[in-house]
Amino acid sequence: MTQRAEGPVLWLDDIGSDDLGAVGGKGASLGEMTGAGLPVPPGFVVTAGSYRTFIEETGIAEDLFEAVAVDTDDSAALARAEARAEELILGTEMPEEMRQGIVDAYADLDDGNAFVAVRSSATAEDLPDASFAGQQETFLNVQGEALVERIKECWASLFTQRAIYYRGEQGFDDRNVDIAVVVQRMVDADKSGVMFTSHPSTGEPKIIIEAAWGLGEAVVSGSVSPDNYVVDRETGETVETTVAEKKVMMEKDAETGETVEREVPEDKREAVVLDDDEIAKLVELGRRAEEHYDAPQDVEWAIVGDDVYMLQSRPITTISESSAEAATADGGDDEGEVLVRGLGASPGVAAGPVRIVRKLDQLDKVGEGDVIVTEMTTPDMVPAMKRASGIVTDEGGMTSHAAIVSRELGVPAVVGAGTATEALSDGQEITIDGDKGTVVAGLREKEAKTEEEDHADVRPQNPVKPMTATEVKVNVSIPEAAHRAAQTGADGVGLLRMEHMILSTNKTPERYIADHGEEAYVEEIVEGVRGVADEFYPRPVRVRTLDAPTDEFRQLEGGGDEPKEHNPMLGYRGIRRSLDRPDTFAHELEAFRRLFEMGYDNVEVMFPLVNDAEDVIRARNLLEDAGVDPEKRRWGVMIETPASALTVESMCEAGIDFASFGTNDLTQYTLAVDRNNENVADRFDELHPGVLALIGEVIETCREHDVATSICGQAGSKPEMVRFLVNEGVSSISANIDAVRDVQHEVKRVEQKLLLDSVR
Ligand code: PEP
Ligand code: MG
């Protein structure tokens, strides 16, 4: 063993299984890969103990914990706590010995000026991989002296308002929470790609490798079609090589460390990326990774000179089969009495005592395993929804808050049950079926899965992530769902809604800014987006600017100032509101600017409810005014109105990179059917020929202009829509978390059929 473990850091290659508490989940997983002999880029972890020593030796610990011991429902107090914690941590010098230890480790890492990634890895005493991880800071492309400051910023991020709030909600003591910081060399790849260690659709012992020039972002984000190699794992023989034309590549700018897109030099465009030697090295790696984890792996790799690196390895995951099982487990003979019926909005069966929630201050009474019964859920309810085993609402349809959030949380839900809050009583034991939409009397334990069985569903089974030419992405509406969403193996986030980040403050944007200031508002958005962008990095995350109708804002503090509208669906929402309130909108755009500045080059900007090129150009200009260069960043629009579909050509000319179908709105505006009105729910048909005609036209026009197309409405999770879109040539499909796996398979089937048809 080396002596390097002394001091404030632990090197990745010295980390063992009992260091989890010292290095946190992220650090431990990189350490495990390193320990297994997998070639992880070198790095070290500034241990949780160092953070402890820092606050204790400098004498700030007591002040710090006192400053953050506030009432978590008091947002002004939370803001003060964050500011004070930041002041204490950033304003206090690191003890010299510690600083020197870190500086020395950094110098050992390379020749002392390596670009490194600096990532927080939070830990708590009884929760080694704290679930609030991902909320703390990450910095990319850090170099030289900035490192020490960045580490302190990671420490300070343990005390953002959001983090304090979460710990309060989840009953964690601030004193018991620690934070480690991973410092790892960034890899400046000559070539990179992904590798599946078993055949992703058949499970055969075949290794599939995709490779392209430059950094992995190009392959992972799908902006270049990579070479494809199929290798027989037993003989090591390459049985199939498909060389693609590679027009662009991602490179690191030598000065700034930022990732930039460049054209591939003529002579490399059609050249084979990997030689036999490199393939052999990758195959060997794949074998070792699969052996070590005892499951097929989806590996991101990079090659610099002669060195092969593994950046990440994760199991090829599968999606919960619970919906299919629940559907077949319907014995039918000893059904309990159906108490109420609604729409099955989030699959699965849950049993527990009823907790009727009428007002927000009743949320405390919702305990672990209870079933929330309420008129309609609101963003403030999310912490309670997480504790609940199931959710039942009186109101709402398949695109309501309750439906979207419970699906993302993986909590079974029945929505639109009409009289649930009247028909059910507090404490009554019930079982709900989120597939059939029923609520029956009694605890039907046999049907409700134990937690262990539930986990068995998401444990990796045989390799099932099929590779598809059409990208399959995932929709995210609450940042808390980012981890689950990333586990699906989706190619990125096709829609990250910003609404929840703002509505969950329980204030309208205007009121929030009035109470806490512009800075806090911007930070609220940055924090919300960053958790997701980090979880998916470098896979792209398409973030949509605010689109909440006035009736949703009306329920919040400050809602009294909202315009009164007869028909909010046709009113002051989406880009209309943003263009009309450029000052408020500028804060959202400032959040994007900061995210880009931090290195989140996987973030994309999407404008909702545009009607024509004029809307698009005005929004684009505001983006530019906010300091984001629309030429350098990917941005685009939602196609949600017939007008936008019919004028998409002029939007292409205005420079959009993508157009994404919001079929929830496109359907309601094409058919004149209110998406929230249960009286006409049977007429809400996303597959109506009128809707499909608009979609087909848009895809064709966009293809002519080299603009990517996508879908991010609910219909993207429906097989019929998937078949239609793939046949029309859509670039990507974004589905609900629980539908990603099925959509991947459906896309694969359609693509294979298209291929077969073309050769027959
Ligand atoms: C849509 O309209 O399809 C969409 C995805 O946006 P939202 O559901 O948020 O209106
Ligand atoms: Mg919409």
Side-chain angles (χ1 to χ4, degrees):
M1 285 299 272
T2 65
Q3 289 301 101
R4 296 190 298 182
E6 299 285 317
V9 311
L10 265 182
W11 286 84
L12 289 183
D13 42 15
D14 291 335
I15 289 172
S17 53
D18 43 355
D19 291 322
L20 191 58
V23 301
K26 246 178 234 165
S29 125
L30 287 168
E32 180 184 352
M33 282 166 70
T34 310
L38 298 169
V40 174
F44 55 85
V45 182
V46 179
T47 60
S50 297
Y51 155 76
R52 268 293 136 183
T53 309
F54 169 71
I55 57 169
E56 279 164 11
E57 266 188 21
T58 60
I60 62 171
E62 274 318 304
D63 281 353
L64 181 64
F65 295 132
E66 244 167 62
V68 299
V70 293
D71 173 3
T72 50
D73 288 330
D74 178 348
S75 31
L78 276 175
R80 280 196 302 275
E82 173 179 326
R84 177 70 184 135
E86 194 177 283
E87 186 183 18
L88 280 168
I89 293 174
L90 301 187
T92 302
E93 293 260 330
M94 202 183 265
E96 181 49 27
E97 201 179 325
M98 181 182 295
R99 200 193 63 83
Q100 197 56 49
I102 293 170
V103 169
D104 288 349
Y106 176 70
D108 273 359
L109 194 54
D110 214 335
D111 48 5
N113 59 2
F115 280 110
V116 289
V118 180
R119 298 174 191 276
S120 306
S121 183
T123 72
E125 220 165 69
D126 43 355
L127 192 63
D129 184 11
S131 59
F132 42 80
Q135 293 191 39
Q136 276 77 41
E137 287 282 7
T138 286
F139 300 94
L140 304 176
N141 302 316
V142 177
Q143 194 185 28
E145 285 170 7
L147 176 62
V148 170
E149 266 324 288
R150 294 288 179 258
I151 290 168
K152 279 165 69 186
E153 284 175 55
C154 287
W155 291 345
S157 70
L158 205 45
F159 301 102
T160 59
Q161 297 184 45
R162 189 175 287 259
I164 303 171
Y165 173 80
Y166 265 99
R167 284 195 294 272
E169 287 293 301
Q170 302 190 355
F172 283 109
D173 189 339
D174 293 313
R175 290 168 189 267
N176 295 339
V177 180
D178 273 326
I179 184 165
V181 181
V182 179
V183 178
Q184 194 183 22
R185 199 172 76 202
M186 297 195 69
V187 173
D188 193 1
D190 300 325
K191 32 184 108 168
S192 51
V194 297
M195 164 167 62
F196 297 89
T197 63
S198 287
H199 195 290
S201 43
T202 62
E204 286 171 274
K206 292 220 167 100
I207 292 192
I208 317 277
I209 303 172
E210 291 189 332
W213 303 112
L215 299 174
E217 280 91 329
V219 179
V220 179
S221 73
S223 63
V224 56
S225 19
D227 286 1
N228 184 291
Y229 311 81
V230 181
V231 182
D232 184 321
R233 200 171 54 192
E234 260 128 51
T235 64
E237 217 177 298
T238 307
V239 291
E240 213 181 297
T241 303
T242 315
V243 181
E245 190 195 351
K246 299 157 289 283
K247 295 193 187 126
V248 294
M249 62 193 283
M250 303 291 201
E251 274 182 349
K252 183 165 296 189
D253 186 288
E255 295 271 292
T256 62
E258 262 196 55
T259 305
V260 290
E261 189 176 286
R262 301 239 158 88
E263 289 204 346
V264 174
E266 203 64 51
D267 59 323
K268 285 168 90 180
R269 287 195 181 184
E270 291 183 27
V272 185
V273 175
L274 295 177
D275 61 32
D276 288 346
D277 214 31
E278 289 166 331
I279 294 178
K281 281 186 190 162
L282 283 169
V283 166
E284 177 51 26
L285 261 187
R287 265 195 211 130
R288 273 170 35 208
E290 181 161 330
E291 224 162 76
H292 178 72
Y293 288 104
D294 203 16
Q297 298 289 302
D298 171 350
V299 174
E300 281 171 31
W301 57 266
I303 294 180
V304 193
D306 289 335
D307 298 326
V308 180
Y309 291 106
M310 245 172 95
L311 307 180
Q312 196 171 59
S313 182
R314 43 179 176 238
I316 303 177
T317 48
T318 185
I319 200 71
S320 162
E321 310 274 303
S322 63
S323 45
E325 274 167 33
T328 51
D330 173 10
D333 42 19
D334 68 332
E335 292 277 273
E337 183 200 349
V338 175
L339 303 171
V340 282
R341 220 179 262 282
L343 298 166
S346 176
V349 175
V354 168
R355 290 291 167 244
I356 306 231
V357 176
R358 294 191 197 277
K359 286 206 242 71
L360 283 181
D361 58 8
Q362 297 176 326
L363 283 174
D364 286 351
K365 72 178 190 183
V366 178
E368 206 65 49
D370 292 351
V371 179
I372 295 181
V373 177
T374 186
E375 246 173 49
M376 186 60 212
T377 61
T378 60
D380 316 57
M381 289 192 188
V382 173
M385 290 169 80
K386 282 203 239 172
R387 291 196 293 273
S389 64
I391 292 157
V392 181
T393 67
D394 287 348
E395 296 168 6
M398 298 295 280
T399 63
S400 62
H401 180 266
I404 290 173
V405 172
S406 47
R407 286 175 90 98
E408 290 194 359
L409 293 175
V411 178
V414 173
V415 301
T419 54
T421 51
E422 302 301 321
L424 306 174
S425 50
D426 239 351
Q428 181 181 7
E429 293 181 332
I430 58 167
T431 300
I432 75 167
D433 186 324
D435 295 276
K436 289 186 271 182
T438 52
V439 176
V440 300
L443 298 181
R444 300 172 60 81
E445 300 288 2
K446 265 195 304 201
E447 291 179 22
K449 287 182 179 259
T450 65
E451 202 170 317
E452 201 180 317
E453 282 167 329
D454 221 31
H455 284 162
D457 284 343
V458 288
R459 223 171 272 147
Q461 301 180 351
N462 241 347
V464 281
K465 180 189 171 185
M467 269 192 295
T468 56
T470 312
E471 289 172 298
V472 179
K473 301 186 183 174
V474 63
N475 296 332
V476 178
S477 299
I478 53 170
E480 292 89 333
H483 186 65
R484 256 191 105 226
Q487 290 295 87
T488 61
D491 296 315
V493 175
L495 167 65
L496 172 58
R497 290 183 170 97
M498 201 182 273
E499 286 77 75
H500 196 271
M501 297 171 206
I502 291 166
L503 298 181
S504 64
T505 67
N506 206 31
K507 298 183 179 188
T508 62
E510 288 74 14
R511 171 59 66 88
Y512 190 89
I513 292 168
D515 287 355
H516 310 286
E518 295 167 353
E519 179 57 27
Y521 183 69
V522 174
E523 268 309 299
E524 196 70 50
I525 300 170
V526 169
E527 299 257 322
V529 174
R530 188 178 33 203
V532 183
D534 206 25
E535 193 70 63
F536 276 83
Y537 195 85
R539 292 178 278 175
V541 174
R542 205 164 268 181
V543 186
R544 184 178 72 181
T545 60
L546 195 57
D547 178 14
T550 50
D551 53 340
E552 280 183 27
F553 279 139
R554 184 159 287 283
Q555 302 164 11
L556 309 176
E557 277 179 48
D561 298 333
E562 288 293 308
K564 287 205 177 62
E565 298 188 300
H566 282 300
N567 202 333
M569 274 300 185
L570 300 178
Y572 197 54
R573 56 173 285 213
I575 206 69
R576 305 167 183 183
R577 180 185 180 108
S578 302
L579 293 175
D580 193 53
R581 299 190 177 187
D583 293 346
T584 314
F585 189 44
H587 303 316
E588 287 171 49
L589 301 176
E590 164 65 10
F592 283 106
R593 193 196 62 77
R594 286 191 199 176
L595 286 156
F596 291 134
E597 188 184 68
M598 288 173 187
Y600 290 102
D601 44 21
N602 58 331
V603 168
E604 305 178 348
V605 187
M606 178 154 72
F607 298 122
L609 220 73
V610 298
N611 254 348
D612 44 46
E614 194 193 326
D615 282 344
V616 174
I617 292 167
R618 287 174 66 196
R620 176 210 177 277
N621 290 346
L622 292 174
L623 184 65
E624 193 164 20
D625 291 347
V628 175
D629 184 350
E631 300 288 326
K632 284 208 189 132
R633 304 300 178 183
R634 282 181 66 77
W635 64 280
V637 297
M638 304 239 346
I639 299 295
E640 290 168 294
T641 69
S644 64
L646 295 168
T647 63
V648 75
E649 180 144 36
S650 56
M651 298 187 199
C652 293
E653 284 157 5
I656 56 171
D657 293 306
F658 58 83
S660 181
F661 300 106
T663 41
N664 306 338
D665 281 319
L666 185 60
T667 305
Q668 84 166 344
Y669 297 136
T670 304
L671 305 181
V673 173
D674 177 348
R675 60 193 260 191
N676 284 346
N677 180 342
E678 56 266 27
N679 298 313
V680 285
D682 59 333
R683 291 192 152 262
F684 187 84
D685 176 14
E686 297 122 319
L687 298 163
H688 188 285
V691 178
L692 296 185
L694 288 170
I695 293 178
E697 286 290 320
V698 170
I699 294 178
E700 197 182 324
T701 308
C702 286
R703 278 165 66 108
E704 284 161 11
H705 287 79
D706 229 354
V707 166
T709 46
S710 185
I711 183 172
C712 58
Q714 289 284 345
S717 301
K718 294 189 172 173
E720 299 89 341
M721 182 59 99
V722 171
R723 286 197 282 277
F724 171 77
L725 291 170
V726 176
N727 275 308
E728 294 293 307
V730 80
S731 330
S732 68
I733 290 177
S734 192
N736 300 332
I737 293 177
D738 53 353
V740 168
R741 186 47 40 105
D742 285 349
V743 170
Q744 285 166 338
H745 281 283
E746 192 62 40
V747 169
K748 174 93 181 178
R749 258 195 296 277
V750 183
E751 287 179 353
Q752 278 178 335
K753 181 157 185 313
L754 282 171
L755 268 178
L756 279 175
D757 288 349
S758 73
V759 296
R760 271 179 186 147

